[in-house]
Amino acid sequence: MTSVDVLSSGDTAPSVPDQAELVDRTIANGFVWLTFPRELEVRFLREGASKRFLMMVVAGLASIVLFAGVIIADFLMMRSVVPLALFIRGLMYGPVIVAGLLVARRLNKPALNEWLIAGAGVWATLLQSCIILQGSGPWAVARVVELNIIVVYTCALARFWPAVALAATVGAVHAFLVTTVPDATGVLIPTTTLLMVTSTAFVLYGNYKLEHDERTAFLLDAREQALHAELTATNKRLTHMATTDVLTQVANRRYFEGFLAECWQRAQAQGRVLSLMVLDVDYFKLYNDLYGHQAGDRCLVGVARALESCIRRPGDLVARWGGEEFVVVMMDTDMDAAAAAAERIRDAVARLGLAHQGSGCSSHVTLSGGCVTMRPQAHGEWTQLVQMADEALYRAKAAGRDRIVVTADDAMPEVKVGAV
């Protein structure tokens, strides 16, 4: 099957069937651990990278404001640490977060960004712990509950595994604090610990479900894209097969007739000039009899390549009309330009150097052709152009072959009939 890249990131992708099979296999096997095969994981992270980074920026700036705002709690509960808290909240957290966002933007690594989110939570935890450890009074240990806010806020943003790493780190810090800071009431440590465990469990469960749903939606969308790409590739291949000559790989007769009809209508409506050339390989049946059908096929392929090398404009067409006959359609080409194109074609075929001992006009393969240039009239049909070009071809054959007769209809200001 045809290979088609379906990655939006521009990375090298497997072929369409391979990509669809990989997605289907991943869906069937499940992803309990919230990881995909490498190709899908890279795509998953890349496709959501811009949206995730914008969320990082907004959440990071908001966290600076929130972390600084906790100075109110410092003032109300532990006034002795206010100077230290001002320094930490104003000069140690915000600048580091801004620097991290700038680094993330420059590196542009989606996987790293997820861990930077968790890293910001760890940094906030360590700074908050420093403030708590420097505090005194019966409510110092109560402030351990502020770590819950960091866990919930960060885990709501991070991917599951970075969130798990953050939760484990904060849990370890919490355990250290409750064993270090005295509890004058005797009830704050178990209460804050229970709150930490339950809030962490709930937020991680919610995080897991959200990411699992997000990954499921991604896989379903990826499968739809893969199937659509495969269908598009199949349609292109079928269209190519239906409009291309199998042997020479130029347009076939079916495509030629539709193309010429469109050009005729366009020229008719806009008063433009249209040229058609009908070409025939001289004594081709004798060539086949003398050199064999495989050599004949190679001869036709060579002639087709020679024609394509001479007709270079995007709006022109080279097609195989049938057997050893070829046609060339040239839009906006007057008789002089058509004659020049005919001369280039004859020279290109001669340069192939294909020996033809059975030819009655040359020692090598040659062409005979008829070329007609006309400005289509209001009620004319494109078949008129084909008929006139075919008549010119027969005149070229009658004149001895190895020539192209270039002519024009009466609507043109000048008519020239001659061998090129």
Side-chain angles (χ1 to χ4, degrees):
M1 287 186 143
T2 305
S3 294
V4 177
D5 190 354
V6 297
L7 289 185
S8 61
S9 65
D11 294 338
T12 303
S15 66
V16 170
D18 290 344
Q19 186 79 0
E21 181 183 351
L22 181 61
V23 171
D24 288 338
R25 189 168 62 248
T26 303
I27 293 175
N29 294 338
F31 43 96
V32 176
W33 300 103
L34 296 184
T35 56
F36 292 151
R38 185 180 180 279
E39 296 86 353
L40 286 179
E41 188 69 25
V42 169
R43 179 181 172 187
F44 172 70
L45 294 175
R46 283 290 181 190
E47 287 195 355
S50 59
K51 183 178 178 181
R52 293 283 295 175
F53 182 73
L54 178 60
M55 180 207 69
M56 278 182 63
V57 173
V58 174
L61 296 178
S63 73
I64 294 174
V65 176
L66 293 173
F67 194 75
V70 183
I71 192 69
I72 299 174
D74 297 328
F75 177 79
L76 295 176
M77 302 179 70
M78 296 188 305
R79 294 192 181 186
S80 62
V81 301
V82 169
L84 175 64
L86 284 172
F87 175 74
I88 289 177
R89 299 187 188 284
L91 299 178
M92 295 191 67
Y93 180 76
V96 170
I97 297 302
V98 172
L101 291 173
L102 293 175
V103 170
R105 183 176 183 274
R106 184 174 183 82
L107 294 179
N108 191 26
K109 294 184 179 296
L112 177 62
N113 289 353
E114 303 301 333
W115 288 98
L116 288 177
I117 294 174
V122 172
W123 181 235
T125 299
L126 295 176
L127 295 179
Q128 183 64 31
S129 300
C130 290
I131 296 173
I132 294 173
L133 288 172
Q134 294 301 314
S136 59
W139 297 107
V141 71
R143 301 203 61 194
V144 175
V145 76
E146 294 171 8
L147 299 184
N148 291 20
I149 301 174
I150 297 174
V151 171
V152 172
Y153 187 86
T154 309
C155 289
L157 304 172
R159 297 284 183 199
F160 179 72
W161 289 114
V164 169
L166 167 72
T169 302
V170 176
V173 173
H174 174 89
F176 171 76
L177 290 175
V178 297
T179 57
T180 303
V181 180
D183 180 9
T185 66
V187 296
L188 289 177
I189 288 178
T191 302
T192 56
T193 301
L194 178 61
L195 183 60
M196 169 62 73
V197 172
T198 54
S199 60
T200 300
F202 278 116
V203 75
L204 286 179
Y205 175 76
N207 183 295
Y208 179 91
K209 290 294 293 181
L210 285 173
E211 183 171 342
H212 191 277
D213 291 345
E214 183 181 356
R215 286 176 177 268
T216 300
F218 164 79
L219 287 177
L220 295 176
D221 182 65
R223 180 168 63 179
E224 183 179 350
Q225 289 185 39
L227 293 175
H228 182 267
E230 185 175 3
L231 179 61
T232 300
T234 301
N235 287 337
K236 287 182 178 179
R237 187 167 62 254
L238 291 175
T239 300
H240 179 78
M241 292 172 60
T243 59
T244 304
D245 179 64
V246 177
L247 175 63
T248 61
Q249 291 300 299
V250 298
N252 61 14
R253 179 168 186 159
R254 175 183 177 182
Y255 184 81
F256 155 69
E257 291 180 349
F259 182 84
L260 181 59
E262 290 181 5
C263 290
W264 178 273
Q265 292 176 0
R266 198 160 58 246
Q268 203 173 46
Q270 301 171 7
R272 296 161 68 179
V273 176
L274 181 62
S275 293
L276 173 66
M277 198 181 302
V278 178
L279 305 165
D280 188 272
V281 180
D282 292 324
Y283 300 104
F284 185 72
K285 185 179 183 303
L286 292 176
Y287 187 93
N288 265 340
D289 294 340
L290 186 61
Y291 298 101
H293 289 284
Q294 290 186 342
D297 289 346
R298 289 192 294 271
C299 171
L300 293 176
V301 171
V303 170
R305 297 290 85 77
L307 294 179
E308 287 185 316
S309 69
C310 298
I311 307 301
R312 296 178 290 268
R313 297 188 311 174
D316 296 339
L317 177 73
V318 174
R320 185 183 179 190
W321 201 15
E324 67 273 22
E325 289 185 314
F326 294 87
V327 288
V328 178
V329 180
M330 296 175 288
M331 194 73 176
D332 297 321
T333 303
D334 60 19
M335 191 168 62
D336 291 338
E343 183 61 35
R344 290 197 305 270
I345 287 173
R346 290 185 66 254
D347 289 343
V349 172
R351 285 197 301 271
L352 293 176
L354 298 174
H356 189 355
Q357 298 302 321
S359 173
C361 59
S362 177
S363 60
H364 58 81
V365 170
T366 58
L367 292 177
S368 294
C371 180
V372 176
T373 299
M374 66 184 303
R375 199 182 304 274
Q377 300 303 299
H379 303 292
E381 296 290 337
W382 62 269
T383 52
Q384 295 176 247
L385 189 62
V386 176
Q387 182 179 354
M388 292 176 65
D390 209 31
E391 291 172 355
L393 167 63
Y394 281 108
R395 290 201 299 274
K397 289 183 176 182
R401 303 186 184 240
D402 188 19
R403 67 196 66 210
I404 300 175
V405 173
V406 182
T407 185
D409 72 330
D410 295 337
M412 300 296 295
E414 183 178 1
V415 176
K416 297 179 180 178
V417 178
V420 179

